[in-house]
Amino acid sequence: MRDELAEALLAKVMGWSDEEKARERPILQDFARYKYDEYQQYAPGRRFIESLALWLRQFETVAERKVAYDFFRTRLIFISTAEMRHLVELAFPVIIQPGLIAKAATALSVDPQRSKFVVSSPVYTQVLRQTLFLGLSDGARTDVFRRSHPQISNEQLWHAYDISDEKAASMHKKLKKALEQQLAREPTEDECKFHTLCLLDDFTASGTSYIRRLENGQWDGKIPKILQKLCEDNGALSQIFTKDNIEVVVCIYVAARQAIDHIEADLNQFNFPKGRVRLKVVHALPPEARLHSPDDDKIIALASADRYFDEVVDDEHAGVGGTTMRFGYADCRLPLVLPHNVPNNSLYLLWGEYEQTFTGLFPRVSRHKRGG
């Protein structure tokens, strides 16, 4: 009954004829069942079609509602839980493992294309065990990553990049024990250290939270902090890694072109004396995913209208991106929705929070709480 009421409200809001309603109804129901009902930040009891009707009702004219509806129907990118899980499962065999195979092949003095031979060798087993996997956020889904790849030990994967001294000592102890069994001898001091670091995360649109240069010339972001920890004389992370030739792989499951360009440009300028850092992306959003003129002028005009924006979101956190949040953090202009939360890099029209003057189609829950 609630779905029927929501569909009736939607038809009324859009001014649809019976023919239009009959055409759109099965499409919207499929959207809802296949993906959109799984959005995790809907208010209790609310589902997609109801949210769509209420979202469209906020626009003042039928013409504006049609623009918003067409935007949703033709431009929205919704990455479902199942799709994100698939990308997590691909991260190791497609992105990370080829580098480990190449490293082992070099040690074996064989062609890395002989992958089956390399992977079955004790050298590869050692190279894999000397690799540490760390999550850059809770979106890294390290639990899914670990279960998808049973060849990776639980003692070489951690959900966060800020490791305590106790955890580091435990990882080092377990690494030494594993190598003793693999090598059937006492491993050397350098063998008992990690040689490769893989940093995992789910999504980036601007890349500024990973690495950016401040006005004073200093570096900020998750990547510089981790690399600096690797260079500390007595830090928890530096104590369990080899002293040089460290391979750092930043593996992102989904990334926008803007973020890829930004991170790669900044990494080229950042000095990491202990090794090299590479960015790897499982699925790169195409450049055309970003809203652009003239194709998207109508929805850009709606996003520019003051009546469909709450200025409270242009706070100090938004200021780091250097632009208004109307078009998303750092002017990313994405039409993207993730199942657990809409990234604030997407158009504000999509994610306006429930307590704000405009409520998005997929209301967001912000990490930064205002006024408290």
Side-chain angles (χ1 to χ4, degrees):
M1 179 63 70
R2 186 178 183 120
D3 287 344
E4 292 177 0
L5 291 173
E7 290 171 7
L9 174 60
L10 178 58
K12 182 179 179 180
V13 166
M14 292 301 297
W16 283 341
S17 65
D18 290 342
E19 181 181 353
E20 290 173 316
K21 182 178 178 181
R23 184 184 67 240
E24 296 297 322
R25 181 184 182 190
I27 296 173
L28 294 175
Q29 288 177 337
D30 285 345
F31 279 156
R33 282 193 297 263
Y34 178 57
K35 284 189 177 182
Y36 302 155
D37 275 348
E38 76 172 72
Y39 185 62
Q40 297 171 20
Q41 303 304 335
Y42 278 144
R46 179 175 293 190
R47 293 195 291 184
F48 166 68
I49 292 180
E50 178 185 359
S51 182
L52 176 62
L54 295 175
W55 179 63
L56 291 168
R57 192 171 65 172
Q58 296 174 102
F59 297 102
E60 294 181 355
T61 67
V62 173
E64 289 181 338
R65 293 168 188 170
K66 288 182 177 179
V67 169
Y69 185 80
D70 289 343
F71 163 69
F72 142 73
R73 283 276 273 108
T74 62
R75 293 291 270 124
L76 187 69
I77 302 172
F78 190 112
I79 300 177
S80 69
T81 301
E83 289 167 335
M84 183 61 76
R85 183 185 183 93
H86 183 57
L87 295 176
V88 175
E89 293 169 348
L90 289 175
F92 181 74
V94 174
I95 300 299
I96 299 169
Q97 190 177 33
L100 302 180
I101 291 174
K103 190 171 185 177
T106 299
L108 291 166
S109 299
V110 301
D111 191 326
Q113 292 187 2
R114 298 181 61 190
S115 57
K116 187 175 181 180
F117 171 79
V118 174
V119 170
S120 63
S121 71
V123 173
Y124 173 79
T125 302
Q126 180 180 337
V127 168
L128 175 60
R129 190 58 183 84
Q130 291 171 329
T131 301
L132 181 63
F133 301 86
L134 300 178
L136 289 174
S137 74
D138 55 4
R141 292 167 172 79
T142 51
D143 55 338
V144 176
F145 184 89
R146 170 67 185 89
R147 289 194 295 269
S148 301
H149 311 296
Q151 67 270 43
I152 297 173
S153 167
N154 192 52
E155 295 300 327
Q156 63 185 114
L157 186 146
W158 191 238
H159 65 274
Y161 61 88
D162 192 7
I163 298 180
S164 66
D165 292 339
E166 293 77 12
K167 184 61 182 177
S170 174
M171 286 179 167
H172 182 262
K173 181 179 179 181
K174 296 294 177 62
L175 173 59
K176 182 178 180 180
K177 184 177 180 180
L179 291 176
E180 285 176 349
Q181 295 174 348
Q182 291 176 11
L183 301 172
R185 62 172 172 80
E186 184 79 12
T188 66
E189 181 180 348
D190 188 60
E191 287 174 333
C192 288
K193 299 292 180 72
F194 290 104
H195 289 232
T196 303
L197 174 61
C198 293
L199 304 173
L200 308 171
D201 213 351
D202 61 342
F203 173 74
T204 179
S206 69
T208 57
S209 65
Y210 291 89
I211 185 170
R212 64 182 182 274
R213 200 160 203 166
L214 304 177
E215 292 181 358
N216 60 8
Q218 298 297 310
W219 290 98
D220 196 9
K222 298 175 183 178
I223 296 175
K225 289 177 183 178
I226 295 168
L227 298 181
Q228 288 161 7
K229 287 178 182 294
L230 285 170
C231 295
E232 292 175 354
D233 291 335
N234 298 307
L237 203 58
S238 62
Q239 292 298 302
I240 62 175
F241 267 86
T242 186
K243 295 185 181 298
D244 51 27
N245 295 322
I246 300 174
E247 185 82 13
V248 179
V249 180
V250 182
C251 179
I252 311 296
Y253 308 140
V254 181
R257 186 74 253 170
Q258 179 176 334
I260 295 171
D261 292 343
H262 169 83
I263 294 173
E264 289 181 339
D266 276 14
L267 285 179
N268 285 335
Q269 298 180 39
F270 188 89
N271 179 35
F272 179 53
K274 288 197 170 186
R276 67 169 183 165
V277 189
R278 294 178 296 149
L279 173 67
K280 295 289 184 177
V281 176
V282 182
H283 178 68
L285 295 175
E288 57 268 23
R290 187 179 191 270
L291 271 63
H292 57 275
S293 184
D295 294 349
D296 299 305
D297 279 352
K298 291 182 179 179
I299 193 65
I300 290 173
L302 279 186
S304 302
D306 290 341
R307 60 187 179 278
Y308 305 133
F309 180 70
D310 193 331
E311 293 184 356
V312 70
V313 300
D314 278 345
D315 56 14
E316 69 275 13
H317 305 294
V320 177
T323 62
T324 176
M325 295 290 279
R326 296 172 190 268
F327 308 110
Y329 177 84
D331 196 35
C332 286
R333 302 189 178 218
L334 291 177
L336 183 73
V337 178
L338 300 177
H340 67 284
N341 213 12
V342 182
N344 64 359
N345 311 92
S346 291
L347 218 61
Y348 175 79
L349 293 177
L350 282 176
W351 57 261
E353 300 175 31
Y354 282 115
E355 66 270 19
Q356 293 167 1
T357 58
F358 183 88
T359 303
L361 177 57
F362 299 94
R364 172 182 164 81
V365 173
S366 175
R367 289 190 300 112
H368 304 292
K369 296 302 178 185
R370 301 172 181 85

